[in-house]
Amino acid sequence: MAHEIEQFDGDYQFIAFDERAWHDLGLFVEGREDIGIAEAAAMLNLGHVTTEPLYTEQGEDTGFFATVRNRTRKDGTAERTFLGAVGARFHVSQDQELFEPYQSLIDAGTASVSAIGLLKEGRRSILSMRLRGVDTEAEIVPGEGPTIGFINFAHAHYGTLRLHTGASATRVVCQNTLNIFLGSGDAT
């Protein structure tokens, strides 16, 4: 499977902060262990996700909604990207809102932002935070399993992936590592 990192307006919507990702795409920033989630997110063109009613060709309301990511290109033109169709009970959450509660881990010196980005044409958002003071080489301890070195977060804006959060030996930097994280049983 490919990395599936979103490319928008010529830029990969992914940033690695403490070490390069295996795919070496997006932006790499060194020496910013203190960067906050909001500042990291602001470095991406996340835009704003909204819902809009879906209608039949005859103009009848279907009861379903389209989720749409609204962004501005470098030349100032607006772009709307259809993310998916959802039911009336689906609640749209902005990426910044989903990740902001975890800023307290950075403020307490417990973790630092390791990677943040968008996958699958902007439909999924990922955040990986490195736990400080933990060896993240994922050593296998006999009888105990791998060392936990990251807290990962993932969410989809089209109803297929609720907010998943969990500690893991896997650093989520693309769809491949997200699949490993989600399949490991570490995500909740």
Side-chain angles (χ1 to χ4, degrees):
M1 174 181 283
H3 53 75
E4 296 201 47
I5 294 175
E6 159 79 348
Q7 193 171 9
F8 178 76
D9 207 13
D11 296 323
Y12 283 102
Q13 297 299 296
F14 175 82
I15 306 170
F17 288 93
D18 51 0
E19 64 182 278
R20 292 187 184 279
W22 68 267
H23 47 67
D24 204 24
L25 298 173
L27 183 63
F28 174 62
V29 179
E30 285 185 281
R32 288 300 315 272
E33 296 221 354
D34 63 334
I35 193 162
I37 293 171
E39 186 179 353
M43 295 172 77
L44 296 173
N45 191 343
L46 298 175
H48 190 78
V49 179
T50 58
T51 57
E52 300 173 7
L54 290 173
Y55 299 95
T56 65
E57 289 180 8
Q58 293 76 27
E60 298 170 5
D61 190 340
T62 64
F64 292 95
F65 296 83
T67 54
V68 178
R69 186 178 296 275
N70 301 281
R71 294 187 273 192
T72 305
R73 292 188 167 278
K74 294 173 191 170
D75 66 6
T77 59
E79 179 166 304
R80 300 165 32 83
T81 305
F82 172 77
L83 302 177
V86 296
R89 293 182 18 192
F90 183 80
H91 172 73
V92 171
S93 298
Q94 304 306 317
D95 300 305
Q96 298 91 326
E97 293 170 0
L98 290 171
F99 298 147
E100 194 59 35
Y102 304 101
Q103 179 63 39
S104 62
L105 296 172
I106 295 171
D107 295 342
T110 306
S112 60
V113 175
S114 181
I116 188 169
L118 297 175
L119 306 175
K120 292 187 167 260
E121 299 174 339
R123 290 177 172 85
R124 291 186 172 182
S125 307
I126 57 170
L127 170 68
S128 188
M129 297 175 67
R130 181 182 298 277
L131 292 170
R132 292 190 177 163
V134 176
D135 180 9
T136 58
E137 292 301 313
E139 300 173 15
I140 302 297
V141 179
E144 295 182 27
T147 301
I148 304 301
F150 298 94
I151 300 175
N152 295 306
F153 310 90
H155 172 71
H157 291 286
Y158 60 115
T160 62
L161 179 69
R162 62 183 167 80
L163 177 62
H164 283 270
T165 305
S168 175
T170 303
R171 176 184 181 220
V172 174
V173 297
C174 64
Q175 186 62 47
N176 296 320
T177 52
L178 177 58
N179 290 344
I180 292 168
F181 170 62
L182 295 175
S184 68
D186 294 334
T188 57

